[in-house]
Each structure stands twice: as structure tokens, then as C-alpha cells.
């Protein structure tokens, strides 16, 4: 005859194992959900940055402190850019060069206004240089 104590211990262990299995599955589900939320958060941050940039571009006054001519630092940053770059990579590269976020944002606006960069989806793409683009009408 089986000892009743060993049966209840066996049932307890099985129940505990079931609960641990459920808990492990729940942890996996939450990790997956957390990664998805991180991706969504990154996308939302990129879209917010894009919305702010377009709002600044479309405002009558333009962004604060936007220079009339493209600063040399903006041109130097542009020269460092690959053909296609994400917004995060743009701001990271600017940060690596010691350019503050707000200044990098102003530079990005200048580069967009000067048609040196174009926004395509969540990326920035360098535009082909147009010959004589800096000349005014009537200049040879």
C-alpha cells in the first residue's frame, strides 16, 4: 500500500512543476512583449522627431536660431554622412562630433531646406548635387 504522505508530496511537486512551467512561459511572453514595446517606442520617438522637424519646416518663422546660410559645421557634418542614414544615426554622428542635439536638429533642417537631404520613410538620403546650384540667376 502506498504511503499517503508520498502521494501528497508527489502531487505537490507536480503542482509546483506546473506552476514553474507556467511562470517560465509567462516570463518568455513578457520578454517578447517587452522587446515589441521597445521597438514601438523607438518607432514612436523617430516619428515624433520627424513630426517636430516637419512642424518646424512648415512654420512661418521656422525654427529658432536657424541661420540664413548653411554653417560650415553643418556642411562638414553633411560630408561625413553616408548615402542613407537613419535619424538616430544622424543624431548619434552629430553627438560624436560634439554637436548638441538642438544644434544638430537645426543643421538637419538646413540640410533638408537646402535639398541636400531628403526624408524617405524613417531615413535620410543624400541628394545628388545639382551643378551650379549655389549660383543665382544671371551669374555665369
Amino acid at each position: 500500500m502506498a504511503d499517503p504522505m508520498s502521494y501528497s508530496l508527489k502531487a505537490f511537486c507536480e503542482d509546483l512543476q506546473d506552476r514553474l512551467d507556467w511562470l517560465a512561459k509567462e516570463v518568455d511572453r513578457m520578454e517578447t512583449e517587452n522587446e515589441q514595446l521597445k521597438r514601438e517606442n523607438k518607432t514612436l520617438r523617430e516619428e515624433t522627431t520627424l513630426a517636430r522637424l516637419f512642424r518646424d519646416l512648415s512654420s512661418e518663422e521656422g525654427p529658432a536660431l536657424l541661420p540664413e546660410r548653411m554653417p560650415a559645421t553643418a556642411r562638414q557634418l553633411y560630408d561625413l554622412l553616408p548615402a542613407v542614414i537613419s535619424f538616430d544615426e544622424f543624431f548619434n554622428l552629430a553627438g560624436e562630433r560634439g554637436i548638441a542635439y538642438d544644434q544638430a536638429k537645426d543643421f538637419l533642417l538646413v540640410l533638408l531646406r537646402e535639398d541636400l537631404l531628403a526624408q524617405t520613410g524613417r531615413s535620410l538620403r543624400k541628394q545628388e548635387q545639382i551643378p551650379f546650384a549655389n549660383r543665382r540667376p544671371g551669374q555665369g
Side-chain angles (χ1 to χ4, degrees), residues 27-43:
V27 167
D28 288 342
R29 184 192 65 77
M30 292 177 85
E31 286 176 344
T32 301
E33 185 177 330
N34 187 39
E35 289 304 313
Q36 177 64 29
L37 289 171
K38 284 180 183 178
R39 285 190 298 275
E40 288 175 13
N41 185 29
K42 183 177 181 218
T43 299

Side-chain angles (χ1 to χ4, degrees), residues 19 35 44 52-53 58-59 69 71 110-111 118 122 136:
R19 290 174 189 238
E35 289 304 313
L44 286 171
R52 286 180 184 144
L53 291 171
S58 65
S59 74
R69 294 179 157 221
V110 169
L111 295 171
R122 287 188 256 155
R136 293 185 178 146

Side-chain angles (χ1 to χ4, degrees), residues 34 38 47 58 60 72 75 78 90 96 100 106 115:
N34 187 39
K38 284 180 183 178
E47 290 173 0
S58 65
E60 289 180 21
R75 181 58 195 217
Y78 173 81
F90 177 87
E96 290 170 8
D106 288 345
D115 294 323

Side-chain angles (χ1 to χ4, degrees), residues 69-97:
R69 294 179 157 221
M70 184 169 43
T73 309
R75 181 58 195 217
Q76 291 166 356
L77 179 61
Y78 173 81
D79 291 338
L80 294 172
L81 299 177
V84 177
I85 190 169
S86 73
F87 283 89
D88 283 345
E89 292 167 336
F90 177 87
F91 288 106
N92 286 339
L93 180 63
E96 290 170 8
R97 299 289 179 229

